[in-house]
Amino acid sequence: MGIGKRKSSSEALISVLALTLAISVMNATMFNIVLPEIRREFGLSMAEVSWVTTSYLLVFAMGSVIYGKLADRYKLKILISIGFITFIVGSVIGMLSQVYGMLIFGRMLQAAGSAVIPAISGIIPVRYFPPKQRGRALGISMTGGAIGSAAGPAVAAMLVSIVHWRVLFCMPLLILLTLPFYYKYLHDERVGTAQMDWPGCGLLAGAVASLLLSITNPTALTLISFVLLLTCFIWRIRKAAAPFINPGVFKNVRYTLGLVIAFAATGIGYSLVFLTPTLLTQVHQLRLGLTGYVMVPAAIATALLSKFGGTMADRKGTSYLFHIAVSLFLFCFLLLSSFTGASPVWIALFLILGGVGQAFMSIALSKSISLTLPHEQSGVGMGILSMLNFMAGAIFASLYGTMVDLEAAKAWNPLIHDLSAYVFSNIYFMLMIMIAVVAALFISFFNKHYEKRRCCR
């Protein structure tokens, strides 16, 4: 294949990937809007209903790295087909659910299929684009995710005001429209002989599930289970001939620290999509059908600016983009914490700062982490990043749900007089401090000179 034709195929492929991400993210974000309704219908606590999100993200996290490893052995076309079919089956089960357990099973099956999407979204930019163009490719795919974030709340708000929330399970059917394009534009796929360490995979999944149970329902049994499973997993990856995660990759100090920073930043940013619907219904007494519209402006702004952020990362460096992202994040959480009881119109404006900041930070961190990896470790390295990002969402969602259930009423802010707003104000204030810590770590270990050396290799 000629260079021009290869470049054209790469551009078309990243566009198809952006569309796929839009549909996938739309499916995920729609359910955040209806969590209060699901909570009411099944008579659940906030921590219990958070498993609609937590279970999805847990399977999503594990699935993304599993698909990433399978991509070293099987063609992406085959994996995408299997993933999409599983996604549709899970959607049908969820739509027909009448008990909470069946609903959770449907969401987990959805996640098992759709996890192929973050796997390929990490593989395609690294395999098909050189470092100097990688930021732009990440920005284009991020635009697709942002469009999904914009459409998800709006579609959910419209549908739940007309029909039952279970109809939201029908939306993933749209993802089948992208399958023929992957068969057209995925070329020169290499099929290797990499082995899958299923015992190691199971131990890691069990450890993460035990950790989440320890957060939502802390007992000695769940804590002991987490410690034992994590210990067994560490032993397994050190002794197995072909471990699920090669421990050697963590000897790269900048890569390991980058994972820690990305994990924290993703978890912090997840508060915007997870807590906002509950804030609007619980504090502002907003009808469920209207909460989605409050989140739409932020998602639209993110969709419009993500590609610009990716181009900025290529031209001026990831450190420059990261500083902008941190500034937007800090300002957003300061405003949310100070004016938690403000009009939903103001909340919508505050969320624009956070949404754009989160997108810019994700682009900056993804590119920075990719530059720490040698080419032969790029696949597994980016797969681990994808897995940890979704684990962060699952773990932090459980933490946020538990915090809301505890209803901590000790407020730092004298501007707030509504007792129901105290817990949200305190959470946002805590997250503002965490962002400052994350920024200090990034600035200390990911400087411009290091980035220039890596890009020029």
Side-chain angles (χ1 to χ4, degrees), residues 160-227:
V160 296
S161 63
I162 301 173
V163 293
H164 199 273
W165 57 263
R166 286 187 181 82
V167 177
L168 300 183
F169 279 102
C170 294
M171 299 307 298
L173 293 172
L174 296 173
I175 209 165
L176 292 176
L177 299 176
T178 65
L179 187 58
F181 296 98
Y182 283 108
Y183 274 80
K184 180 178 180 180
Y185 294 119
L186 280 172
H187 299 292
D188 302 326
E189 291 190 74
R190 293 172 295 176
V191 179
T193 58
Q195 300 296 315
M196 174 59 72
D197 178 22
W198 292 110
C201 172
L203 288 170
L204 180 59
V208 174
S210 298
L211 175 60
L212 294 175
L213 287 172
S214 298
I215 294 171
T216 56
N217 186 27
T219 64
L221 179 61
T222 55
L223 184 59
I224 292 172
S225 297
F226 167 66
V227 173

Side-chain angles (χ1 to χ4, degrees), residues 52-69:
V52 174
T53 298
T54 299
S55 62
Y56 185 91
L57 291 175
L58 172 61
V59 178
F60 209 50
M62 294 303 304
S64 64
V65 75
I66 290 172
Y67 281 115
K69 291 183 72 67

Side-chain angles (χ1 to χ4, degrees), residues 5 38 42 45 62 131 192 246 325 386 426:
K5 188 173 181 181
I38 296 174
F42 290 101
S45 68
M62 294 303 304
N246 188 343
S386 177
N426 292 340

Side-chain angles (χ1 to χ4, degrees), residues 261-327:
I261 294 172
F263 181 86
T266 301
I268 293 168
Y270 199 75
S271 66
L272 299 176
V273 296
F274 183 80
L275 285 177
T276 300
T278 303
L279 168 68
L280 294 171
T281 55
Q282 185 170 311
V283 176
H284 298 275
Q285 305 300 313
L286 207 63
R287 288 189 295 108
L288 184 63
L290 296 177
T291 58
Y293 295 112
V294 176
M295 303 173 69
V296 168
I300 292 176
T302 304
L304 293 174
L305 294 174
S306 290
K307 184 178 179 181
F308 170 74
T311 302
M312 190 188 305
D314 289 336
R315 292 180 178 177
K316 296 191 175 183
T318 55
S319 295
Y320 183 85
L321 184 64
F322 184 84
H323 281 82
I324 295 176
V326 167
S327 300

Side-chain angles (χ1 to χ4, degrees), residues 98-133:
Q98 296 300 317
V99 295
Y100 188 54
M102 187 176 179
L103 170 66
I104 294 298
F105 178 69
R107 285 292 281 167
M108 293 176 70
L109 203 56
Q110 271 192 326
S114 61
V116 72
I117 299 169
I120 63 174
S121 70
I123 293 171
I124 289 174
V126 173
R127 287 187 182 176
Y128 286 78
F129 292 86
K132 290 184 178 180
Q133 298 177 9

